[in-house]
Amino acid sequence: MRSLELVRIEAGLHDWAAMECGCSWPGRRNSAEHLPAGFIAMLESGAPLSVDDWAENHAYIQSNLMEPAVAATSLVVAALAGRPPVASRHELLSALSILTSGEQEEIADACLDVVRGATWILYEEVAAGEQVGTSGLAYELLMFMDEQAERLAAYHRVYGAALPPHLR
């Protein structure tokens, strides 16, 4: 699976041991070292992805973004770049939606900056229209990027009918 290699490369670019994971609690600090291994294991399993199970209580707790959120975002984008099956893309895009809209605005903005590097992947998802929910999630992520307003409007004119009703 191509995404595995992309994720492994991306995982190696972050100092996971230096980050405090969301699964820490008072008096016990857990590093985020287990996050990339868990994500890779999930991808390798071949089972349907459950990115929320992997990220919840680690990269975010409900809508609170934790220290490894930005690095986790880069793993999710790398997996998405490997063009996984539609159901997996839906899971990955859903996680990106959470990571870019959390309550910690500075961290959410940094996560969105990572997603900006995947702009064309998002447009491809909108244009593919393979699954309304997936194309809608990609469209909503692009809506967060003010600099994409003109291009997004052009895509909307062409692909808007294939988007979920609230985005038409």
Side-chain angles (χ1 to χ4, degrees):
M1 177 186 255
R2 184 175 63 185
S3 16
L4 283 172
E5 192 57 37
L6 299 175
V7 170
R8 283 188 182 100
I9 292 167
E10 192 58 37
L13 298 174
H14 302 278
D15 186 0
W16 298 92
M19 291 180 238
E20 184 172 352
C21 188
C23 66
S24 298
W25 59 83
R28 181 170 177 217
R29 180 196 182 278
N30 286 337
S31 78
E33 287 178 285
H34 59 282
L35 284 179
F39 191 66
I40 290 167
M42 181 179 60
L43 292 172
E44 286 177 327
S45 75
L49 295 185
S50 180
V51 180
D52 193 52
D53 287 347
W54 165 75
E56 178 70 36
N57 296 320
H58 302 281
Y60 53 82
I61 299 173
Q62 296 175 348
S63 61
N64 292 302
L65 299 174
M66 309 311 291
E67 187 176 358
V70 178
T73 300
S74 71
L75 295 184
V76 174
V77 168
L80 193 59
R83 201 70 182 142
V86 174
S88 296
R89 292 195 314 267
H90 189 274
E91 278 288 311
L92 296 166
L93 289 164
S94 181
L96 291 178
S97 294
I98 294 167
L99 290 161
T100 57
S101 61
E103 292 181 28
Q104 289 65 31
E105 192 172 317
E106 188 174 307
I107 297 172
D109 288 346
C111 290
L112 185 59
D113 284 342
V114 172
V115 176
R116 278 185 170 91
T119 301
W120 287 109
I121 295 169
L122 298 176
Y123 279 113
E124 179 184 25
E125 196 65 53
V126 170
E130 293 177 86
Q131 182 176 322
V132 171
T134 304
S135 61
L137 286 168
Y139 188 89
E140 287 172 341
L141 283 164
L142 289 162
M143 288 174 60
F144 285 136
M145 302 176 200
D146 294 337
E147 71 279 6
Q148 294 296 321
E150 185 177 343
R151 178 171 285 116
L152 190 58
Y155 273 73
H156 190 273
R157 285 190 294 277
V158 176
Y159 298 107
L163 294 171
H166 72 281
L167 296 173
R168 291 183 192 155

